[in-house]
Amino acid sequence: PPPASSTPSTSSTIFLGTRSDLAGRLASSASAAAAASSSSSSSATFDAGVASEALGRLRPEALAPPATPHSAPFMFEDATKAFSHRSTFELARAWFVLTACKGYSAVERLKPGVVEKVALPYAPKRLVRSFYNHFVAGENEREIAPVVARLRKQGVRGILDYAAEAKPSEAGRSLSRSSSLGREYAYQSERACSMNTKVFLKAIDTVKSVTPQGFAAVKATALGDPAQLERASRDIAAARRGMAEAADASSFDFRSLDCWERDLKPIRKRLRSLAKRAFALNVGLMVDAEHTFYQPAIDLLTLELQREFNWDAPLILSTYQCYLKDSRARLTEAMALSQREGWHFGTKLVRGAYMKLERERAQRMGYPSPIHDTYEDTSKNYDACLDLVLQFMAPGRLARLMVATHNRSSIEHVVRSMEALGIPREGTGFAARGGVSFAQLLGMADNITFTLGHEKFQAFKYLPYGPLDEVMPYLLRRAQENSEMLAKVDEERALLMSEIARRGKSLLMTA
């Protein structure tokens, strides 16, 4: 981190101040790519001043640039290339597991939770182990290392996520509304949060040991009381609304709010200890997005880390869930702030994981749903957010974009845009910490991940790890969150079967 004299003063805004200033940055983001292409300097300006119209009159859909007409220079349907590192047994197991997942998603839509509560306790251990081995990297560093080594041979790196998850019945004060959908650590005590911090510190050490240039993923709800995160988020959201409604609003420091010390101090301390370890070891740290009633506080906690540790390289990554209607505006704010203050922006973009819960909560509590109305609207916003970050990076600016999706159309869109904007496939900057990278879950979308790795893009697998009996609830939560995605695995199943058939035919011909 820079010396104290070069860090932003406490009087500067932590989350971007005035409505007119934000309006100017949003209005100018549409022309960022053109400005970048006309300037060879890496210091090209992203925010082009203050627009005269208010933020409320902006139409975000106007910010999306036209699609690039180029086609991807490679094919994701090459099963032989994508699965060359896997044995025929592993391919057969993958086909079986994905077929079972497709059925699981149908059951979950009819009777949520029935698999975890009824089927899992009586399932044969060998069957459970098959699912575990397919989706989980192992229990500890010793088991993770060979998995990561195989990935590295294919040009793929790792994102480690300690996936053990407390059961709702074990929680002292967990929020019951979050117990069935979405991954949230059940709060037990401050001592338990300190233990979670030690687990994450170990994860950072493991990343350094087994997957250089990798990342560790952390969740804020593991590091403190979710009830305090929610209360702080309400205060922060109320303060932001007050700023937006004030015609003469000036820059406001959110750290002056009572919740900054009252509710967030323990979580801030633990998060900072993780960031310090990651900085010392040059390991990337991703702070995951969570429910909207926690997110305002998580955004600020992550931003505080980025403002301290992202001066040499984009080491700390925020996460934006693009199914949220306000995601593009928040993303634009954060990029503009990073440029104004001089630190390096880094983010992971996902579609989102808590759609059902968020909509049900909004309906129950009588406020408009924060989620886009249709999947098509979410996809349009996701691609537009990708474009904003790519345009921000195009002048050669050191930044980091993690494209975390299994959606082939979005990935091909990014590949075409990188080609058109001249963004290199390889990492850039201090220890190759900048650039565009792609991430998919272990055990899924292998044809995408390994094709990207073979083509020298920065490709990652998200690697859950932990004890089997503690990780299985996590896997079921992820299956619930991604039930629609699991229902659409037909293409990958077909590629697996085609490669199994090709190998069988080749064996018969040589016999």
Side-chain angles (χ1 to χ4, degrees):
S5 60
S6 63
T7 57
S9 69
T10 56
S11 62
S12 64
T13 179
I14 245 189
F15 218 63
L16 291 192
T18 67
R19 177 178 59 171
S20 59
D21 190 30
L22 173 57
R25 285 191 296 276
L26 282 170
S28 66
S29 64
S31 61
S37 62
S38 64
S39 172
S40 60
S41 170
S42 63
S43 61
T45 302
F46 176 66
D47 50 324
V50 178
S52 57
E53 62 184 321
L55 174 60
R57 296 175 59 189
L58 284 174
R59 296 185 59 186
E61 55 266 28
L63 301 179
T68 309
H70 302 84
S71 60
F74 50 87
M75 302 293 288
F76 287 117
E77 299 93 346
D78 190 341
T80 301
K81 189 174 184 179
F83 302 131
S84 62
H85 65 294
R86 304 185 73 174
S87 68
T88 303
F89 170 79
E90 289 174 321
L91 296 182
R93 184 184 68 189
W95 184 90
F96 167 78
V97 168
L98 292 180
T99 301
C101 287
K102 185 177 175 68
Y104 167 83
S105 67
V107 172
E108 277 297 312
R109 284 196 296 273
L110 293 175
K111 289 195 175 288
V114 67
V115 175
E116 180 180 1
K117 296 173 184 176
V118 179
L120 183 60
Y122 303 100
K125 289 186 177 180
R126 183 172 295 182
L127 178 63
V128 175
R129 175 62 69 171
S130 294
F131 280 82
Y132 178 91
N133 289 340
H134 184 75
F135 290 115
V136 182
E139 293 197 9
N140 49 47
E141 182 176 332
R142 179 180 58 82
E143 295 183 3
I144 295 168
V147 175
V148 173
R150 290 177 61 186
L151 293 176
R152 290 178 65 186
K153 288 181 180 179
Q154 304 301 315
V156 177
R157 304 164 188 169
I159 302 168
L160 293 191
D161 177 24
Y162 186 75
E165 184 174 85
K167 298 177 183 178
S169 60
E170 296 173 350
R173 291 193 293 131
S174 64
L175 300 180
S176 59
R177 65 185 168 217
S178 305
S179 62
S180 63
L181 284 175
R183 182 180 170 213
E184 174 188 312
Y185 281 78
Y187 181 77
Q188 294 174 290
S189 65
E190 288 301 298
R191 181 175 178 274
C193 293
S194 295
M195 293 299 295
N196 288 338
T197 304
K198 291 180 180 179
V199 169
F200 288 138
L201 288 169
K202 177 62 176 175
I204 293 169
D205 294 340
T206 302
V207 171
K208 180 63 176 180
S209 174
V210 303
T211 177
Q213 302 304 310
F215 288 84
V218 301
K219 279 191 174 285
T221 51
L223 304 176
D225 187 349
Q228 292 180 319
L229 268 177
E230 182 174 2
R231 183 167 62 179
S233 292
R234 284 199 301 267
D235 291 352
I236 293 165
R240 294 201 71 194
R241 285 195 298 271
M243 290 171 55
E245 292 168 1
D248 59 346
S250 57
S251 294
F252 179 73
D253 186 353
F254 283 87
R255 290 171 294 189
S256 65
L257 294 174
D258 291 342
C259 65
W260 196 247
E261 292 293 326
R262 180 193 66 206
D263 297 321
L264 299 180
K265 186 174 182 179
I267 302 177
R268 288 168 48 218
K269 181 179 179 180
R270 293 180 181 118
L271 269 174
R272 189 172 184 275
S273 70
L274 299 177
K276 285 180 65 177
R277 179 72 63 87
F279 181 84
L281 298 179
N282 189 31
V283 167
L285 189 68
M286 296 192 311
V287 182
D288 285 343
E290 304 195 45
H291 304 291
T292 53
F293 40 88
Y294 303 142
Q295 200 57 46
I298 294 173
D299 281 345
L300 294 188
L301 290 167
T302 307
L303 185 59
E304 183 182 44
L305 298 180
Q306 291 179 314
R307 298 175 85 187
E308 181 174 1
F309 294 101
N310 277 15
W311 291 86
D312 295 325
L315 204 67
I316 310 296
L317 269 60
S318 56
T319 303
Y320 289 89
Q321 299 188 101
C322 296
Y323 68 0
L324 296 175
K325 295 175 182 177
D326 69 348
S327 56
R328 208 184 318 177
R330 292 189 292 114
L331 175 65
T332 304
E333 289 183 48
M335 286 190 294
L337 180 63
S338 72
Q339 184 192 356
R340 188 164 67 240
E341 294 186 342
W343 48 271
H344 300 293
F345 180 75
T347 193
K348 176 180 70 172
L349 296 185
V350 301
R351 275 176 167 76
Y354 308 104
M355 179 173 64
K356 184 177 180 181
L357 181 142
E358 294 287 3
R359 284 178 173 164
E360 289 178 349
R361 185 177 190 267
Q363 185 176 20
R364 184 175 68 251
M365 300 184 69
Y367 61 85
S369 172
I371 306 296
H372 281 291
D373 296 332
T374 66
Y375 180 81
E376 290 71 24
D377 289 342
T378 293
S379 292
K380 185 184 298 184
N381 186 59
Y382 186 76
D383 289 348
C385 288
L386 291 171
D387 288 329
L388 283 175
V389 184
L390 291 170
Q391 292 163 8
F392 179 77
M393 299 170 66
R397 184 177 287 113
L398 177 56
R400 181 78 171 206
L401 169 62
M402 178 73 73
V403 183
T405 181
H406 292 192
N407 186 285
R408 178 172 157 179
S409 175
S410 291
I411 292 169
E412 290 177 338
H413 175 79
V414 172
V415 169
R416 291 194 298 267
S417 297
M418 290 174 65
E419 179 185 7
L421 295 171
I423 298 174
R425 300 181 181 188
E426 300 83 6
T428 58
F430 176 70
R433 275 291 168 196
V436 178
S437 51
F438 301 83
Q440 290 78 41
L441 296 172
L442 181 68
M444 298 191 70
D446 284 355
N447 59 309
I448 291 176
T449 311
F450 294 112
T451 299
L452 290 168
H454 294 158
E455 295 294 332
K456 308 302 181 185
F457 286 90
Q458 296 187 79
F460 287 80
K461 278 293 188 186
Y462 209 89
L463 306 176
Y465 74 99
L468 185 148
D469 60 338
E470 297 180 24
V471 171
M472 287 308 296
Y474 161 81
L475 291 180
L476 290 171
R477 298 279 193 276
R478 292 304 294 259
Q480 288 175 324
E481 296 162 10
N482 298 284
S483 60
E484 293 299 323
M485 181 178 68
L486 289 174
K488 300 175 182 178
V489 294
D490 290 340
E491 180 182 4
E492 189 169 358
R493 289 169 63 238
L495 289 172
L496 287 165
M497 186 54 68
S498 70
E499 178 60 11
I500 292 171
R502 187 198 66 80
R503 293 185 187 186
K505 182 179 180 180
S506 177
L507 185 63
L508 288 174
M509 293 178 64
T510 58

